[in-house]
Amino acid sequence: DADVTQTPRNRITKTGKRIMLECSQTKGHDRMYWYRQDPGLGLRLIYYSFDVKDINKGEISDGYSVSRQAQAKFSLSLESAIPNQTALYFCATREGVSGYNEQFFGPGTRLTVL
Amino acid sequence: GQNIDQPTEMTATEGAIVQINCTYQTSGFNGLFWYQQHAGEAPTFLSYNVLDGLEEKGRFSSFLSRSKGYSYLLLKELQMKDSASYLCAVRDTGRRALTFGSGTRLQVQP
């Protein structure tokens, strides 16, 4: 079984709809992240969380919200989706103790907003 | 803030060596990562540098010069499966998350 899972893997929705993307991990990591990836722009950080009570905005948080329901679950919501939120979304986790520790990424969610 | 630059695309021949450069500007450097990402897939970790010098891991090596704000990823004995994007990411002492460059798309030709 995959250590970091994302649901759904693909989603097509319409402008104005509320969308939730979910991320679960079995790695026991305390740090979780949401990124979006657009062609030519690389990965950009939306939100990150270092534990259930610690939520932080990234560089492009406008139009998004998150919920850390448990150590293993971190959800991303688009309250009112717009076409420029069409992108590939990745969740990632990291063990928090050492600066060396790399991030592990989920398989991604491809979101299309019409 | 941070600024990370990588070439957008590179082409190389199977069996050859290729070097992918990354330059960065940061207020307080605290580590540099390289990730590989095949089209439509998740990024996977390749290497980490925090001190100056070369880190070797099989066919892949990564070099860091903190004084120059410069790193490179060296891929030897290129294989067709190495065709992918390579992402440079920097952590600084002030932020608690990585900043990624736009990535370099490498195409390996027969």
Side-chain angles (χ1 to χ4, degrees):
Chain A
D1 288 342
D3 294 320
V4 185
T5 58
Q6 293 183 232
T7 56
R9 294 293 313 278
N10 290 281
R11 180 73 183 267
I12 300 173
T13 191
K14 295 182 179 180
T15 297
K17 294 291 187 181
R18 184 177 188 274
I19 297 297
M20 179 180 286
L21 309 183
E22 299 189 353
C23 177
S24 295
Q25 52 117 348
T26 58
K27 300 186 75 68
H29 292 170
D30 52 1
R31 303 185 179 198
M32 299 187 74
Y33 307 80
W34 274 106
Y35 293 90
R36 67 177 279 176
Q37 187 172 39
D38 301 273
L41 293 178
L43 287 162
R44 292 184 292 166
L45 184 65
I46 307 172
Y47 271 94
Y48 60 104
S49 169
F50 279 16
D51 65 40
V52 174
K53 297 180 180 179
D54 180 54
I55 304 290
N56 304 277
K57 293 183 177 180
E59 58 187 295
I60 54 164
S61 59
D62 288 349
Y64 301 94
S65 63
V66 291
S67 173
R68 186 82 183 265
Q69 302 96 320
Q71 187 200 36
K73 296 184 183 295
F74 192 36
S75 300
L76 176 72
S77 293
L78 287 68
E79 298 301 325
S80 180
I82 56 177
N84 77 2
Q85 290 178 313
T86 293
L88 185 56
Y89 289 84
F90 286 104
C91 172
T93 74
R94 175 175 172 260
E95 186 176 356
V97 175
S98 169
Y100 164 82
N101 294 331
E102 75 269 28
Q103 293 184 9
F104 294 86
F105 287 83
T109 295
R110 187 169 296 280
L111 177 66
T112 302
V113 183
L114 301 177
Chain B
Q2 295 181 323
N3 188 34
I4 301 173
D5 290 314
Q6 311 178 230
T8 303
E9 292 187 359
M10 299 182 70
T11 302
T13 303
E14 191 176 14
I17 299 173
V18 70
Q19 178 175 311
I20 302 174
N21 296 325
C22 171
T23 59
Y24 64 88
Q25 295 174 317
T26 183
S27 54
F29 178 80
N30 194 27
L32 186 144
F33 293 79
W34 284 96
Y35 283 81
Q36 180 190 58
Q37 184 180 25
H38 287 98
E41 298 183 8
T44 55
F45 170 75
L46 288 178
S47 68
Y48 171 72
N49 296 72
V50 67
L51 300 177
D52 291 349
L54 190 68
E55 294 284 340
E56 298 187 79
K57 190 183 293 186
R59 293 189 299 114
F60 293 9
S61 303
S62 58
F63 172 83
L64 175 67
S65 169
R66 289 173 295 170
S67 63
K68 295 181 179 179
Y70 169 68
S71 174
Y72 67 72
L73 180 69
L74 193 70
L75 292 74
K76 303 177 184 177
E77 302 171 12
L78 280 172
Q79 302 175 8
M80 298 299 291
K81 68 178 182 180
D82 296 331
S83 293
S85 289
Y86 292 86
L87 313 178
C88 173
V90 173
R91 175 181 294 130
D92 72 26
T93 54
R95 285 168 53 84
R96 300 191 292 166
L98 295 178
T99 298
F100 283 83
S102 299
T104 298
R105 188 166 63 195
L106 174 66
Q107 184 175 358
V108 180
Q109 297 179 337

